[in-house]
Amino acid sequence: MAKKKVAPKENEIGEFFNALADLATEKGIDPDVFVGKIKLAIEKSLKTNLHIEDKESDAVQVNIDLEKQIFDVSILKEVIEVVDSLYEPEIEIVLEEARKIDPTLQVGDMVRCPIDTHEFKRIAAKNAKDLIKQGFRDVERQQLSEMWGMYENEAVSALVTRVEPKTGHATIEINKNETLLMRNDQIPGEVLTEGQVVKVYITGVSREYKEGAKKQSLRITRTDKGLIKRLFELECPEIYDGTVEIKSISRAPGSRSKIAVISNDPNVDAVGTCIGPQKSRITAVTKEIKGEKIDVVLYSDDPEEFIKQALKPAEVTQVVINNPAVRACKAIVPDNQLSLAIGNKGQNAWLAAKLTGFKIDIKAESKVTPEDLEVIELPEIEEEPEAVETQTEE
């Protein structure tokens, strides 16, 4: 007995709905959202093909019902009496054919005519396909924007799904959504591999999503100093609950970072808390950022003391703030500490300057001159005399 053949149209429509459901499940997106994008894409494509300038017009209607697997397209046509040389079958229908749809129709009336989706012109079909793809990308961007809006300036775990051999750019997955981690947003020297789970810092998230916008500010990175802060919060409950506070961070990604902390509880050692028992906490952080060294220093409201702390591991004998107005200072160190204070290629001094917000000139004790110890005195601002009320005699 021969098998009953399924009508090509019914078979294709069924495959379409099945593919749509599978894609929605894979991307973790509501199928109804996809349906809305498909309807919009087909309507826009047909309006363009039919030269309908009014984009808000209901001349084209698309009805898609997932549950009932219905896919209908109709076009609003004008009823004309007979075919003539100016007849446009895409937007016109002769009276005789129109009355098969509605016997009461008259010339000049508008009637909605169903069309076979297989009769779409090639260009209309191609445009619709491209618009549907764009619609899917818009949905994914919107989902990312909405999801990441909650995680802006936060660190999240991400799965590396693909690494481009030539560029080094990595595709990563967060909550079933893929995005690109550019090479210059990766820690210098690190080599990501497929299947690896890494922490990324989410920044620059669009607060508002605009449909069709090509540029969405969705950016992830592993080089931002904010990643250091979030990693310490994960490792140190005292930072997370506010007992220990991170006041400042400076970072040279892949090489060294400095973090200034202070304790809001006199019984808690801020620096020791961040380092952890047997350096367990700071080791966990450095492991996540591929061995990048981290100096944890004690913050102070006294600028001179803070600068001394920031220049560690070098010992500083004196800090002279020459010009408070421009936040510039001289840091005087023993001769044998000069190289350590400056650091390799000036890195220690640069990180200390970024951490404190001061321009730091490091001087060896043997090279100090009287001018180095001079401090520019800022003129005192005279207070304006209070207004004195006087009474005039009448």
Side-chain angles (χ1 to χ4, degrees):
M1 181 177 176
K3 292 183 179 180
K4 182 179 180 181
K5 294 183 179 180
V6 179
K9 181 178 177 180
E10 294 179 0
N11 188 41
E12 290 178 10
I13 293 296
E15 290 178 356
F16 164 77
F17 281 107
N18 292 335
L20 179 63
D22 291 343
L23 185 59
T25 301
E26 177 186 342
K27 297 294 185 181
I29 300 175
D30 186 347
D32 289 337
V33 176
F34 271 161
V35 167
K37 291 296 180 182
I38 293 171
K39 290 171 64 175
L40 184 65
I42 294 174
E43 289 174 4
K44 185 175 180 180
S45 177
L46 284 175
K47 285 179 181 179
T48 300
N49 188 243
L50 298 174
H51 306 292
I52 299 174
E53 296 181 359
D54 183 4
K55 302 305 178 183
E56 301 301 322
S57 165
D58 63 349
V60 177
Q61 283 191 356
V62 180
N63 177 31
I64 301 177
D65 190 317
L66 283 177
E67 294 184 1
K68 299 179 180 179
Q69 293 200 347
I70 295 174
F71 185 16
D72 293 331
V73 181
S74 63
I75 297 178
L76 200 61
K77 296 184 178 183
E78 182 181 359
V79 180
I80 62 174
E81 189 169 0
V82 293
V83 175
D84 56 22
S85 58
L86 299 177
Y87 174 56
E88 298 180 87
E90 293 87 355
I91 57 174
E92 295 178 333
I93 183 173
V94 295
L95 182 61
E96 183 180 353
E97 292 296 321
R99 284 182 172 172
K100 293 179 181 179
I101 300 173
D102 183 350
T104 64
L105 289 172
Q106 301 294 329
V107 173
D109 289 344
M110 303 298 293
V111 59
R112 187 160 297 283
C113 305
I115 64 172
D116 187 345
T117 54
H118 288 71
E119 294 178 1
F120 288 161
K121 289 187 176 179
R122 180 181 58 83
I123 187 170
K126 183 180 183 303
N127 287 344
K129 182 179 179 181
D130 293 340
L131 288 169
I132 290 170
K133 287 182 178 179
Q134 181 61 47
F136 287 172
R137 288 193 291 267
D138 289 345
V139 170
E140 289 187 88
R141 277 207 303 268
Q142 181 176 7
Q143 187 176 34
L144 286 174
S145 182
E146 292 173 351
M147 179 187 72
W148 287 1
M150 300 183 295
Y151 296 110
E152 185 172 10
N153 300 326
E154 297 291 342
V156 299
S157 295
L159 174 66
V160 180
T161 59
R162 186 169 61 256
V163 179
E164 296 295 335
K166 293 183 179 179
T167 63
H169 302 328
T171 301
I172 70 165
E173 182 181 289
I174 304 173
N175 291 355
K176 298 182 179 180
N177 292 279
E178 289 188 340
T179 191
L180 198 63
L181 177 63
M182 305 295 287
R183 186 68 190 91
N184 59 4
D185 282 317
Q186 298 171 31
I187 298 172
E190 77 173 336
V191 179
L192 299 178
T193 57
E194 293 182 10
Q196 183 180 357
V197 177
V198 295
K199 284 285 194 301
V200 296
Y201 187 71
I202 299 176
T203 182
V205 179
S206 298
R207 288 296 186 185
E208 296 180 359
Y209 174 82
K210 294 181 180 179
E211 186 175 333
K214 293 182 179 180
K215 293 184 179 180
Q216 291 291 314
S217 180
L218 301 177
R219 181 174 177 268
I220 58 174
T221 181
R222 280 174 55 76
T223 62
D224 195 284
K225 63 183 180 181
L227 178 62
I228 303 293
K229 181 179 181 180
R230 295 308 181 202
L231 291 175
F232 270 103
E233 287 177 348
L234 291 171
E235 293 296 330
C236 307
E238 295 87 350
I239 294 178
Y240 186 80
D241 65 20
T243 304
V244 173
E245 184 179 351
I246 297 175
K247 299 294 287 187
S248 180
I249 299 174
S250 59
R251 187 182 184 193
S255 181
R256 197 179 203 96
S257 292
K258 286 182 180 287
I259 175 172
V261 295
I262 190 172
S263 175
N264 295 315
D265 184 338
N267 298 317
V268 176
D269 176 12
V271 175
T273 294
C274 294
I275 294 174
Q278 299 181 340
K279 298 183 177 180
S280 58
R281 291 176 174 177
I282 197 169
T283 298
V285 174
T286 56
K287 183 179 179 181
E288 176 59 44
I289 54 178
K290 302 306 173 187
E292 183 177 312
K293 295 179 180 179
I294 301 175
D295 297 331
V296 183
V297 303
L298 188 62
Y299 173 81
S300 174
D301 288 327
D302 179 359
E304 294 179 10
E305 179 59 32
F306 186 26
I307 292 166
K308 285 183 179 181
Q309 292 291 324
L311 284 169
K312 285 186 174 182
E315 295 296 328
V316 180
T317 58
Q318 186 180 0
V319 172
V320 180
I321 299 178
N322 303 99
N323 189 348
V326 296
R327 296 179 69 84
C329 71
K330 291 282 194 314
I332 301 170
V333 301
D335 288 26
N336 63 356
Q337 294 283 300
L338 183 61
S339 296
L340 186 61
I342 296 174
N344 183 29
K345 298 180 180 179
Q347 187 181 84
N348 193 59
W350 180 82
L351 287 171
K354 289 292 185 181
L355 191 72
T356 61
F358 273 79
K359 182 180 179 181
I360 304 174
D361 183 10
I362 301 174
K363 304 279 289 189
E365 287 179 327
S366 63
K367 302 294 183 181
V368 175
T369 65
E371 289 78 11
D372 292 326
L373 304 179
E374 289 183 358
V375 177
I376 297 175
E377 298 291 342
L378 297 178
E380 293 184 4
I381 301 175
E382 295 184 2
E383 294 183 2
E384 294 183 3
E386 294 183 2
V388 179
E389 294 184 2
T390 59
Q391 295 180 347
T392 58
E393 294 182 2
E394 296 181 358

